[in-house]
Amino acid sequence: MSGDGQGRSHWFDDDAGPVVRPYAMTRGRTSHAAQHRLDLIAVVVAESYADEPEADHTLSPEHVDIVGLCRHTPQSVAELAAGLDLPIGVVRVLIGDLVDEELVHVTRPVPPAELVDESILRDVISGLRAL
């Protein structure tokens, strides 16, 4: 590399700041044990006692941001990825970390197989009307 500063401009954008690779945010991990349960529409909710995640120095800024976004309004995994402008895989790993730390919990949508069939509901309504 030459001493003309050209190498610096390759890794640093004055407007955007330093470039951080996604694998640096997850410490090189590409998956988490809880990741298989994190559907795009799974909802992440901050625990009520997770008031100041900033005080926990073991958490990354991205972890703190996720807890902050979920503190007042539950967010889906997809919404968190979009709001943080991070790849979905990275967000899944970070959410898994927060679940392990018991700072958030995840609620999953009801699987389609467990949903009530619409025809059954119509039959119930018809039966009630017949009474």
Side-chain angles (χ1 to χ4, degrees):
M1 219 182 278
S2 64
D4 62 0
Q6 192 172 18
R8 180 185 178 276
S9 65
H10 178 71
W11 293 105
F12 192 88
D13 181 354
D14 290 330
D15 295 331
V19 176
V20 177
R21 299 285 182 199
Y23 60 79
M25 292 177 214
T26 61
R27 289 175 252 136
R29 297 170 297 147
T30 58
S31 65
H32 190 277
Q35 184 171 340
H36 70 279
R37 297 177 294 174
L38 294 176
D39 193 348
L40 290 176
I41 58 174
V43 177
V44 182
V45 181
E47 297 293 351
S48 58
Y49 51 81
D51 286 336
E52 294 187 31
E54 306 85 17
D56 186 346
H57 298 292
T58 62
L59 297 177
S60 70
E62 293 79 19
H63 286 114
V64 173
D65 290 343
I66 290 171
V67 175
L69 287 171
C70 298
R71 184 175 292 139
H72 301 293
T73 306
Q75 303 277 319
S76 72
V77 174
E79 288 172 320
L80 288 170
L84 297 170
D85 195 26
L86 292 174
I88 197 76
V90 170
V91 172
R92 284 179 170 158
V93 172
L94 297 175
I95 291 170
D97 294 343
L98 293 169
V99 169
D100 288 349
E101 294 293 322
E102 298 180 350
L103 293 172
V104 300
H105 68 272
V106 178
T107 58
R108 288 161 206 70
V110 177
E114 294 178 17
L115 292 174
V116 177
D117 188 8
E118 188 177 326
S119 64
I120 293 173
L121 293 175
R122 288 179 194 209
D123 291 342
V124 170
I125 290 171
S126 298
L128 289 172
R129 286 185 180 148
L131 295 175

